[in-house]
Every structure is written in structure tokens, then in C-alpha cells.
Amino acid sequence: MAEQLTPETPDESEEQPIKQRKNGLYPGVSDELAANMQSGWADTELHDLQPIPQAEHTARRRAALSARFPGERLVIPAGNLRTRSNDTEYSFRASTEYAYLTGNQTEDGVLVLEPAGDGHEATIYLLPRSNRENGEFWLDGQGELWVGRRNSLAEAEKLYGVPASDVRELPAKLAESTGPTRVVRGHDAGIEKALTDKVTAERDEELRVYLSEARLVKDAFEVAQLEQACASTARGFEDVVRVLDKAEATSERYIEGTFFLRARVEGNDVGYGSICAAGPHATTLHWVRNNGQVRSGDLLLLDAGVETNELYTADVTRTLPINGRYTELQKKIYDAVYEAQEAGIAAVKPGAKFRDFHDAAQHVLAEKLVEWGLVEGPVERVLELGLQRRWTLHGTGHMLGMDVHDCAVARTEAYVAGTLEPGMCLTVEPGLYFQADDLTVPEEYRGIGVRIEDDILVTEDGNRNLSAALPRRSEDVERWMAELKG
């Protein structure tokens, strides 16, 4: 990785000399080189840009936000780069709230809705093109020569359908502003500092909660994105099955890397850290170390999702026999989870309570645990006391969208205690997990973990499984794996 020179912090009254990075190989920049770098560059302004596909949707979302908070200034930052180590940064991912309202994904961006008349005037504040006169474009660590071209403000206006201004001027404007203001916290410390005496935590939380609840029902663009994410995810699972022999020769990391390749080729990234849990690691709910062995005869619990370029993610789990065939006990446990998932999916429909699918799936699992003699019945007693949770562990699903656990700060009455509506998308993912050290179950159960997860869209007349391209029934899984392995 090349290292760049960086200019001194500019002073209003005096031009500062170029500051060399400590241990850099160049002592400075000559006047002749500085003059040379100022000229001889082609005009690269893009003139025939069209609005991004979701521009009409983001405009509608901003209008709804404006109507909810009349007369108040609303500030929604994208966030800043985060240091990974010394002078390298993590890959940037814009805040969900900002991307949902703008479609823009660049660091340091800020959307501001200023009260105007009966509504608001929206402005998107961004970094403009790098300055070539003062050398910023090639001397600054975030200059375009180092990290790539960014859109001009004029280009941004065309793409996002919102007036664009220089974000470097925004903190001073906000510091001088008056009137009621709300900001989405946790993404941009500089913006929050400029507003420190103008906002309250309670009012800001109301804004964040509104933006979370606004995403509960997906529009047509969002549904198409989730369909795309699920289709790419299915192909990623197929990729993994084809290379299980290589994973056996290496580790779970081969599985992780294989799926990641599909995510980067067809999308932006993985939507969350892939869980590539082989053998007893499948009993650890969020096993993301992915450094264990992959052995024939064990199960692989693969929980992974592709995130699209517009930041919508799938969230799918399959539990696969590494050698292509379930043992008798593995099949018994797998089929029980499949039956529970079938009951859960059947409970997803408009007008149903959100938690109905969870209750339906848990009832089936409790019945199986009683039937197998692992817990004393009757089933109603088990459910009332939550005794099944020793082996079911987690809730049966969650909302899905731009965040893998989408709408997470919505009010309880709008989410867990709410009612399903067409356009909502959620996961149904029951599981059974028998820990390797669980002495309350027969030895042959220990170390077996099974989860089956699909992404379910609530429709006008029921539901649609967006991830149905991946087989779920045990015999279908075995047949699918055999076909892929040739």
C-alpha cells in the first residue's frame, strides 16, 4: 500500500508548507513539482447523468419524514471513516437512515431538511471534487488520486434529486442555526458537536425510532432488492457445496471465502459476518471465527447473506451434511426443525400478530423435545415455563431489510407486539442446538446444531418465500447436493 504526503492543517492567514509523513521517502514537494501537478488535467465532469433508480422512492420517504416533524430541522449523517490500524480505514458503509433517505453512500455526507413553508427544503451535504490548485487531490490521504474520483456537487444533484452543498461548511452553519433541531446520533461526532446545545437525546431518539418504523413496510424497489439479494445468496450457497472437499482439506475459512467472493461479485458485501459453523460449532449461535475443521459425517450450519449494492441484505441458513447424506439422528433433528419452520411460515400472513410464527414454531419444537424424552411434558407446561429454550435458544425471526436485524429500534407495539402487513419482510429461523457438554441429553445428540432460515415477504393473501430457490426438506437437500457435486 503506497504512502502519501499530507499537507499541514491550513491556516487562514498563512500558507502552510507540505508536511511529510514520518518515515516517508520524500523530503517534501518542490515548487516546480507543485506547479506541474496543478495543470494538464482533462475536464472529467459528467453531464448526462440520470437519477438513481430509487430517487423517486427516496423523495417519497423524505416527504413522509417532513410531514412527521413539521417546522423542525432534521439532520441525518452518513457517518465517517473508522480507523482500522494506524492510517488504514475500515471499508465504509453509510448509515442506514442516510442511505434510506438519499440513496447516497459516501462518507461524511449529511442530509439536512430545513423547515420551509408547510414542509422542508432538503439539501445533501457532500465533499466536492478534490482541489487541484492547492494539491489536495494528490497530497491529502483522502484525495482523489489516492482513493478515487468522487462526484461533483452538480453531478450529485442530478443523481440524487436533491440540491448539494459543500459539507465542510455545514458544521459552522449548524452551530449558528436557531429553532428546533433533531439529529440521528452515533454516526458523525463533528456534526453532533455543532448541535450540542440545540438537541436533546429524547427528541433525537424519536427521530431514530420514526426512521426505523418507516422501514417496516417495504416498497416495490426494496422488495426487488431483497429478491436480488436472495437470488445471489442462493448462488453463494451453491458455490459452497461445490467446494466442500476443499473446505475439508483446509477449514471453515474456505467456506467463508467462497461465499464472500459471490457477495463481492454480485453485491456490495456480505450483509453480516458469515456463520460457517461445522460440527459442534453449529451449536454456537454467532460462530464467526470460522477457523474450525470441516469433517465428513458432520453437519455444516451456514448462515450467510449477500448485501446488494443498494445495501439490502438476505439472511438465509441451511444446515447441510458435509458428505451429502444425513445420518439417521441428524435427519431426525433436521426434520423436526423443518416441521417447526413449516408451521412458522404458515403463520406469516397479513393481520396475524408478529409473534404468531414464533409461537407456532416453538410449539412444534417443544412437542419434539417431549416426544424424545428430553424434557418432561405436557407441552403446554414446557412452553409456559420456557423449558424448551435450553435447546431452541433464540427467537424464531426478525424483520429484514437494509439491516440484517432491520427496524430494531421501532416501538415494541409496532414490532414484536404489532400486526403483520403486506410488504413486511421477516426471517423464519427455528433451530435446535445440543451443546457438546450438555449432560441432560443422550451422548449422540451432543454437538449437533440445526437451523433452517428463510426470508419471508408478507403478501396481500399470505406470504412468499424469497429464498425458496434453496431446498429445505432433508431429501431435497441431499438430492441438490448430489447434483451440485456431480
Side-chain angles (χ1 to χ4, degrees), residues 395-414:
T396 309
H398 52 80
M399 291 296 182
L400 182 70
M402 295 185 79
D403 293 339
V404 65
H405 294 157
D406 208 27
C407 315
V409 299
R411 293 168 299 160
T412 300
E413 57 266 32

Side-chain angles (χ1 to χ4, degrees), residues 8-22:
E8 290 277 11
T9 302
D11 184 278
E12 294 182 359
S13 61
E14 181 180 0
E15 187 71 24
Q16 295 291 323
I18 296 298
K19 177 184 179 182
Q20 180 189 0
R21 174 185 294 197
K22 187 176 183 180

Side-chain angles (χ1 to χ4, degrees), residues 384-438:
E384 180 181 357
L385 299 176
L387 301 180
Q388 84 284 359
R389 293 179 61 186
R390 181 181 179 100
W391 302 284
T392 65
L393 296 180
H394 55 79
T396 309
H398 52 80
M399 291 296 182
L400 182 70
M402 295 185 79
D403 293 339
V404 65
H405 294 157
D406 208 27
C407 315
V409 299
R411 293 168 299 160
T412 300
E413 57 266 32
Y415 190 160
V416 173
T419 301
L420 296 180
E421 301 176 36
M424 290 182 171
C425 188
L426 55 108
T427 67
V428 179
E429 51 176 312
L432 283 173
Y433 312 89
F434 300 104
Q435 306 302 318
D437 58 352
D438 187 350

Side-chain angles (χ1 to χ4, degrees), residues 78-298:
N80 315 124
L81 291 172
R82 306 287 184 184
T83 299
R84 180 182 186 275
S85 173
N86 188 23
D87 56 355
T88 62
E89 292 84 21
Y90 288 103
S91 296
F92 179 73
R93 203 275 196 184
S95 74
T96 294
E97 297 88 351
Y98 174 85
Y100 177 74
L101 292 167
T102 66
N104 178 259
Q105 297 181 35
T106 56
E107 65 270 16
D108 302 325
V110 184
L111 172 69
V112 178
L113 271 63
E114 283 284 348
D118 295 332
H120 289 77
E121 290 182 354
T123 303
I124 187 170
Y125 288 85
L126 302 165
L127 281 173
R129 297 289 308 279
S130 289
N131 189 321
R132 293 180 186 258
E133 290 299 315
N134 65 8
E136 174 198 347
F137 85 103
W138 72 288
L139 296 173
D140 186 85
Q142 294 302 315
E144 292 183 8
L145 186 145
W146 292 95
V147 299
R149 185 188 188 278
R150 52 183 176 252
N151 290 118
S152 70
L153 298 181
E155 291 169 350
E157 290 187 4
K158 295 177 183 177
L159 289 170
Y160 306 110
V162 184
S165 292
D166 190 337
V167 71
R168 293 171 296 189
E169 301 170 357
L170 182 59
K173 288 183 178 180
L174 293 177
E176 297 170 359
S177 65
T178 58
T181 301
R182 299 177 191 253
V183 63
V184 176
R185 300 190 182 201
H187 301 301
D188 192 318
I191 294 299
E192 291 179 34
K193 182 179 179 181
L195 293 170
T196 186
D197 60 342
K198 306 176 192 303
V199 296
T200 67
E202 180 180 5
R203 289 162 53 78
D204 291 348
E205 183 64 10
E206 288 175 352
L207 172 60
R208 193 166 76 109
V209 168
Y210 168 82
L211 289 172
S212 190
E213 293 182 10
R215 302 197 308 276
L216 283 168
V217 175
K218 272 58 181 179
D219 58 35
F221 177 85
E222 294 178 293
V223 171
Q225 285 292 305
L226 289 167
E227 290 173 332
Q228 178 184 325
C230 287
S232 292
T233 297
R235 288 188 283 272
F237 274 67
E238 292 173 353
D239 295 339
V240 167
V241 171
R242 291 189 179 100
V243 300
L244 281 177
D245 58 333
K246 294 183 173 62
E248 288 187 61
T250 52
S251 75
E252 295 163 338
R253 289 186 178 181
Y254 203 97
I255 296 167
E256 178 183 357
T258 299
F259 188 84
F260 179 72
L261 176 61
R262 177 67 65 173
R264 285 293 285 163
V265 168
E266 296 194 6
N268 177 60
D269 206 332
V270 290
Y272 53 95
S274 298
I275 298 168
C276 308
H281 288 161
T283 66
T284 300
L285 295 185
H286 288 171
W287 176 260
V288 293
R289 300 178 197 173
N290 298 336
N291 58 3
Q293 289 186 289
V294 179
R295 301 182 182 91
S296 178
D298 284 346

